[in-house]
Amino acid sequence: MKKLIRGIFISSYLLMNVAFADGVGLPPGVTLTKLDDIQWQTSPSGREYANILGKTSAPGPYLSLVKWAPNLKALPHKHPDDRYGVVLSGVHYIGYGDQFDESQLHAHTPGTFFTEPANTSHFGMTKNEGAVLYFYGTGPSAILPVN
């Protein structure tokens, strides 16, 4: 009996995975975006970004990915909204203040959660490995240069 129940459970699980694998049969309101289907755009700063949910420029919540190429630098800036980030890959270096100061950078490795409070000046960079960051916030947001 246990083998029969286990077999039914495994079969159901496999059928559900097959049915939902390409978004077919998903309940209304469920979104599925595969990594290969993400639409990347290039910002004027040279970073690539993808809006996963919402848009940073529009009112409401947003989720975005930001790819930092190797050896990229962001001069001091701030955002009008609170932002929450996670480093997905690479190492991202961030410092706080109105002047770029490499000695004040903190290394954020994959899995690091960090915050960027509204109107807090900060700066960042990557070294040889680049980085991919995940951000959550409530728009509208913007990048406001300092000085």
Side-chain angles (χ1 to χ4, degrees):
M1 184 62 146
K2 286 184 182 179
K3 286 184 181 180
L4 177 62
I5 293 171
R6 184 180 304 148
I8 292 170
F9 176 77
I10 291 171
S11 297
S12 298
Y13 175 79
L14 292 173
L15 285 173
M16 285 176 35
N17 281 336
V18 170
F20 294 154
D22 290 319
V24 176
L26 290 174
V30 173
T31 301
L32 174 66
T33 304
K34 294 181 179 182
L35 185 59
D36 292 341
D37 295 335
I38 292 175
Q39 300 295 311
W40 293 94
Q41 300 174 24
T42 302
S43 71
S45 67
R47 290 182 291 263
E48 289 184 74
Y49 68 95
N51 293 313
I52 304 300
L53 172 72
K55 291 186 178 183
T56 56
S57 61
Y62 63 84
L63 298 173
S64 61
L65 298 175
V66 180
K67 281 187 192 177
W68 285 60
N71 304 307
L72 193 64
K73 195 182 276 190
L75 297 176
H77 63 281
K78 55 188 173 180
H79 309 280
D81 60 314
D82 292 324
R83 294 164 48 114
Y84 307 91
V86 176
V87 178
L88 298 179
S89 66
V91 180
H92 180 251
Y93 299 84
I94 189 167
Y96 299 91
D98 291 342
Q99 300 293 322
F100 187 94
D101 182 351
E102 196 164 336
S103 71
Q104 297 299 309
L105 293 171
H106 305 272
H108 294 169
T109 55
T112 301
F113 169 79
F114 62 97
T115 61
E116 294 178 349
N119 299 308
T120 299
S121 299
H122 58 281
F123 47 90
M125 69 180 285
T126 53
K127 295 185 180 177
N128 295 332
E129 65 282 343
V132 177
L133 309 178
Y134 170 94
F135 283 103
Y136 169 78
T138 303
S141 186
I143 297 173
L144 308 170
V146 175
N147 295 334

